[in-house]
Amino acid sequence: MKRTNLTPTEQVLEQVRSAKAQQALARWLERQTATVTPAGWTGEGFTEAQVLGVYLQDYLDHPSGVIIKIVEKGNRDKEFKAHKQAYKDSSRDSPRFAEEHLAELLDDMIQLDNGGSIIFQRVVGGGFDETQQLDKALIESLDPVAACRHIASSLLDEWNTHSEHSGSLPQDIGVVFDELLGQRIAPGGTIAAWASRHEGLLVEPRTWLSHGGQRLINPFALGARASLGSQLPKMIIMRGKTHGDLHPGNVLVSTATGGLSYFLVDLARYSASGPLSWDPVYLTLTTVAKFLPDLDFRSREALQHWVLDPAGRPDPAWPRPLRATGAGVHHATVEWAQGRGILPLWKQQRLLCLTAVALLLTGRDRLLTPESRTWFFWLAARAATQLVGEDADFTREDPLMLPESLIVGNVVSLDDRRAPDSVRPSSADHVADEAEPWNELLAELRVVQLDAPDPVTLAAHTEALRLRLVHTLRSDGVYRSTSIKLLAELAATLDEALRPGATSTDVRAACQHATLLRTWILGKLS
Ligand SMILES: Nc1ncnc2c1ncn2[C@@H]1O[C@H](COP(=O)(O)OP(=O)(O)O)[C@@H](O)[C@H]1O
Ligand SMILES: [Mg+2]
């Protein structure tokens, strides 16, 4: 039975999806003699982490706005350590940067038995709902190019006040390429999962590819095990502090001051000595990834050329955040490199990062469509071709022809395809009855209209879906498969938008998130 007279701490605990995390958090609060009160805010991330906003109050202390991030599976303290290191490095080199732009981590964290963790950090920007994710902020910003330019130059000038990498010796391109892609190109990695299916592409890579009558360098031929990367001249890599996962959702912008106050969150991939062009390229390409499905074929081709050379004017028909990010980042980074007289070095390093980040995105099977992933592959090939440039004297070999459907949809694991345990037939007698709700839920999810201007319309559109979600999620608090977790998140997102006091901005944000969740869920299950 559901209790109605819960204490604020119990209300927060009730929101925690995983039973294990719930118990661990309860024990932690007791140990700290602390209480929490829901702030009526939850974060929208791109992983399966649950992000809750609360007011935390230690014994005899005033409340403070804190984000609780619960990762159920993962690398225990990876994010905690990386975030802490980022904060410490930044406080040592540029204390104002740490204070003004990084979320502050609380000292303590909780490790969960199953490899997950709970970390606590202060809410940035002065309070919940005082910031917006960058891509959303750019839609409303008066001067979105200036906002992006400010952020990109602050990362270089204010964060990286000196190089972490003493005596940057020129490095073998193949070695750096492998460092940037890491396990993703190893057997079983996210890129290898699709690329190793094509003979001559990733494993024992041929040097050239044929694409629309052109010869392009096979980007995988840059790897250390192939010969191409090590035949190229060594490269000086400018290194320093990099966020590592700088997509628009991890850059928050103050709603009060626009692009001038910005904050970095989600620092799990922080490095003290990453290539400095990684973050600017990553921010640009993840923004591209967001808008690519909205563009037609011709625009996509033009966009590929613009990404390779953003000095030209972007097509005014492209979405505003996309043009602003590409142009702002370009101006800031070129200005930085010119100021040091290292523009050619920067351009080369940028091409290497473009190749690597574009390849990384080809492995994002949950977030991107096969078409977008294929687009990123050919971007990587074009960037690699420019990188190799004049040095390419490998023309005798025949190019590899790749099939049109280079990347096919996800291979769905059996576990995700079948109905979850809670609705799976419990006995032979009920087979038909019990499997039906699951199919009905999916059918409803396919057709439901997930855009609404206000809570009342959203409630009407989603009534049938919400009933089916309740039915599916009711019986079990411990979630087994990824799809069930996503369904729970969908239910929570809709509930949040329909709570008393939700504004039309909340509703629009919820609709966007719900649409994204639908794509993931249906992508996983069909
Ligand atoms: N310290 C913070 N202050 C304010 N908002 C935050 C903070 N940390 C996270 N958020 C919000 O929650 C969202 C998800 O958090 P994040 O750490 O990026 O999770 P994920 O790993 O799932 O992407 C962020 O995109 C941001 O909008
Ligand atoms: Mg994030």
Side-chain angles (χ1 to χ4, degrees):
M1 275 307 279
K2 206 170 158 156
R3 280 171 52 200
T4 44
N5 54 343
L6 297 177
T7 65
T9 298
E10 286 169 339
Q11 288 171 24
V12 169
L13 290 170
E14 208 196 22
Q15 288 182 52
V16 176
R17 289 195 300 243
S18 134
K20 280 203 167 139
Q22 193 183 65
Q23 285 164 9
L25 181 59
R27 278 199 302 273
W28 184 84
L29 288 167
E30 218 175 284
R31 240 188 5 252
Q32 307 279 321
T33 45
T35 57
V36 277
T37 307
W41 177 98
T42 52
E44 286 174 30
F46 287 83
T47 64
E48 287 157 16
Q50 192 181 6
V51 179
L52 296 174
V54 300
Y55 294 110
L56 175 74
Q57 198 162 1
D58 278 350
Y59 182 60
L60 291 184
D61 203 353
H62 295 300
S64 55
V66 165
I67 303 269
I68 305 182
K69 181 167 178 181
I70 304 162
V71 181
E72 284 175 48
K73 270 188 287 183
N75 195 344
R76 281 181 191 268
D77 49 5
K78 176 173 174 240
E79 176 163 353
F80 183 77
K81 277 189 181 155
H83 193 141
K84 206 162 192 79
Q85 195 197 344
Y87 204 88
K88 281 191 174 166
D89 289 348
S90 312
S91 306
R92 180 197 56 204
D93 301 341
S94 28
R96 276 195 52 197
F97 186 90
E99 231 167 78
E100 288 174 9
H101 301 294
L102 297 184
E104 191 188 343
L105 209 53
L106 301 201
D107 281 336
D108 213 1
M109 57 102 55
I110 302 172
Q111 293 199 358
L112 301 173
D113 301 343
N114 48 357
S117 65
I118 306 182
I119 63 172
F120 306 88
Q121 52 189 291
R122 294 210 187 280
V123 61
V124 295
F128 300 99
D129 294 322
E130 295 293 316
T131 55
Q132 262 184 320
Q133 300 189 353
L134 179 63
D135 51 329
K136 287 180 194 146
L138 292 178
I139 296 175
E140 291 156 27
S141 164
L142 288 179
D143 192 345
V145 178
C148 293
R149 188 174 183 155
H150 169 71
I151 293 169
S153 67
S154 157
L155 294 178
L156 290 169
D157 280 331
E158 295 179 292
W159 200 20
N160 283 287
T161 42
H162 65 258
S163 167
E164 191 60 36
H165 214 62
S166 50
S168 303
L169 290 175
Q171 283 190 283
D172 188 306
I173 290 186
V175 172
V176 182
F177 178 86
D178 285 359
E179 168 205 320
L180 296 179
L181 290 175
Q183 288 303 310
R184 301 176 186 96
I185 46 175
T190 53
I191 299 173
W194 71 267
S196 57
R197 292 192 202 141
H198 301 283
E199 207 175 310
L201 185 61
L202 171 63
V203 183
E204 296 179 24
R206 300 256 285 273
T207 304
W208 291 98
L209 303 175
S210 169
H211 181 53
Q214 269 183 308
R215 290 166 78 93
L216 296 177
I217 288 286
N218 175 0
F220 293 115
L222 295 176
R225 264 165 303 165
S227 58
L228 181 57
S230 24
Q231 286 176 46
L232 297 169
K234 293 194 170 173
M235 211 191 251
I236 298 181
I237 309 278
M238 287 76 80
R239 288 178 184 267
K241 300 183 199 71
T242 48
H243 177 283
D245 188 16
L246 196 73
H247 64 73
N250 286 340
V251 183
L252 306 182
V253 174
S254 155
T255 41
T257 62
L260 297 179
S261 308
Y262 75 93
F263 308 92
L264 306 181
V265 297
D266 207 356
L267 286 138
R269 292 189 175 275
Y270 166 78
S271 162
S273 57
L276 287 181
S277 46
W278 182 265
D279 280 349
V281 164
Y282 197 97
L283 184 60
T284 307
L285 292 195
T286 47
T287 308
V288 166
K290 227 176 156 91
F291 295 103
L292 206 50
D294 302 338
L295 304 181
D296 62 25
F297 178 77
R298 283 169 68 104
S299 268
R300 287 173 177 217
E301 275 298 295
L303 180 58
Q304 208 161 83
H305 292 287
W306 187 61
V307 168
L308 286 164
D309 180 13
R313 280 178 72 79
D315 185 336
W318 293 339
R320 192 171 141 96
L322 174 59
R323 285 178 284 137
T325 309
V329 165
H330 172 71
H331 295 319
T333 51
V334 164
E335 192 178 58
W336 183 84
Q338 269 171 340
R340 287 178 165 65
I342 53 170
L343 196 54
L345 293 184
W346 179 266
K347 283 187 173 169
Q348 274 206 324
Q349 178 172 332
R350 178 179 185 271
L351 285 173
L352 182 58
C353 285
L354 263 183
T355 310
V357 176
L359 285 179
L360 180 156
L361 292 171
T362 69
R364 293 275 164 91
D365 59 356
R366 276 189 48 214
L367 284 165
L368 305 182
T369 63
E371 294 75 36
S372 292
R373 294 162 64 199
T374 305
W375 186 93
F376 280 112
F377 175 73
W378 291 114
L379 175 66
R382 282 185 164 142
T385 309
Q386 286 197 5
L387 179 67
V388 171
E390 315 292 281
D391 297 311
D393 185 22
F394 314 96
T395 40
R396 274 157 296 157
E397 193 194 290
D398 277 345
L400 176 66
M401 303 278 288
L402 288 164
E404 185 93 358
S405 52
L406 185 60
I407 302 176
V408 283
N410 218 355
V411 179
V412 177
S413 75
L414 263 183
D415 218 35
D416 273 326
R417 195 187 282 270
R418 68 185 176 212
D421 291 321
S422 54
V423 292
R424 214 180 293 150
S426 48
S427 76
D429 298 346
H430 294 103
V431 170
D433 296 6
E434 296 270 349
E436 208 40 41
W438 177 248
N439 292 333
E440 281 173 6
L441 170 69
L442 292 185
E444 182 61 32
L445 191 59
R446 280 194 189 94
V447 298
V448 66
Q449 206 178 330
L450 285 176
D451 52 2
D454 53 65
V456 178
T457 321
L458 184 66
H461 285 173
T462 58
E463 189 177 352
L465 175 69
R466 282 179 292 118
L467 276 174
R468 295 193 197 293
L469 281 169
V470 169
H471 184 92
T472 307
L473 298 169
R474 190 174 41 201
S475 46
D476 201 340
V478 184
Y479 303 114
R480 287 185 187 80
S481 75
T482 316
S483 15
I484 282 291
K485 270 186 227 151
L486 294 172
L487 287 169
E489 179 144 358
L490 178 61
T493 304
L494 294 173
D495 285 350
E496 185 66 22
L498 298 176
R499 73 180 197 279
T503 63
S504 53
T505 315
D506 296 335
V507 172
R508 273 201 307 275
C511 287
Q512 271 187 5
H513 190 55
T515 306
L516 187 66
L517 287 167
R518 164 166 62 190
T519 312
W520 291 344
I521 295 164
L522 294 177
K524 275 208 148 302
L525 295 170
S526 48

